[in-house]
Amino acid sequence: QLLLTESGGGAVQSGGSLRLSCTTSDRTWSRYAVGWYRQAPGKEREFVASITRYSDDTKYAASVRGRFMISRDNDQKTAWLQMNNLNPEDTAVYYCNAGAYAYLYNLKTFTSWGQGTQVTVSS
């Protein structure tokens, strides 16, 4: 398992933007694809976006496609989630995790999660 730290969350109004960061000091970072996930109050954790090891492909949940963009830099050992045109339905704790790209859609792939970062969007 990689020790990952999420940051960048906060409170914004509808239509605002945030950029979340996911970073590690683990030197095996580039061996893994990275995914972003979120969990809203009373709901299951859900897939948001993912990116391959070398940024040659990405995948997005339909609810965020066109508004969010995932990226990564293996030299910095960091992945980002740029979130634009936020709406209250985006309010959730956002988590990142790492693994094989083909399995990132399946949340049961992961045995542990970090603390996440809170995103709150007001009307």
Side-chain angles (χ1 to χ4, degrees):
Q1 296 180 338
L2 269 64
L3 178 61
L4 303 172
T5 301
E6 302 97 339
S7 63
V12 298
Q13 294 184 338
S14 294
S17 298
L18 286 172
R19 188 177 71 169
L20 309 183
S21 296
C22 172
T23 190
T24 187
S25 61
D26 197 306
R27 294 181 178 179
T28 67
W29 161 264
S30 63
R31 299 181 186 178
Y32 303 98
V34 173
W36 282 98
Y37 308 82
R38 66 186 182 185
Q39 186 169 26
K43 294 185 177 181
E44 299 289 330
R45 201 192 317 262
E46 64 177 352
F47 169 84
V48 174
S50 60
I51 188 167
T52 55
R53 294 172 63 188
Y54 301 113
S55 304
D56 57 306
D57 198 19
T58 56
K59 183 164 60 179
Y60 297 93
S63 59
V64 307
R65 189 174 297 115
R67 300 188 298 122
F68 291 10
M69 180 180 295
I70 187 171
S71 60
R72 70 185 292 169
D73 187 308
N74 290 341
D75 290 332
Q76 298 183 51
K77 300 183 180 65
T78 300
W80 297 271
L81 184 68
Q82 177 67 46
M83 305 185 295
N84 299 320
N85 299 315
L86 287 162
N87 60 66
E89 287 67 45
D90 297 315
T91 294
V93 178
Y94 284 71
Y95 304 86
C96 64
N97 224 320
Y101 188 62
Y103 297 102
L104 294 184
Y105 74 95
N106 183 3
L107 275 65
K108 293 184 178 180
T109 296
F110 306 110
T111 59
S112 65
W113 300 87
Q115 295 298 305
T117 185
Q118 176 72 51
V119 172
T120 303
V121 186
S122 60
S123 300

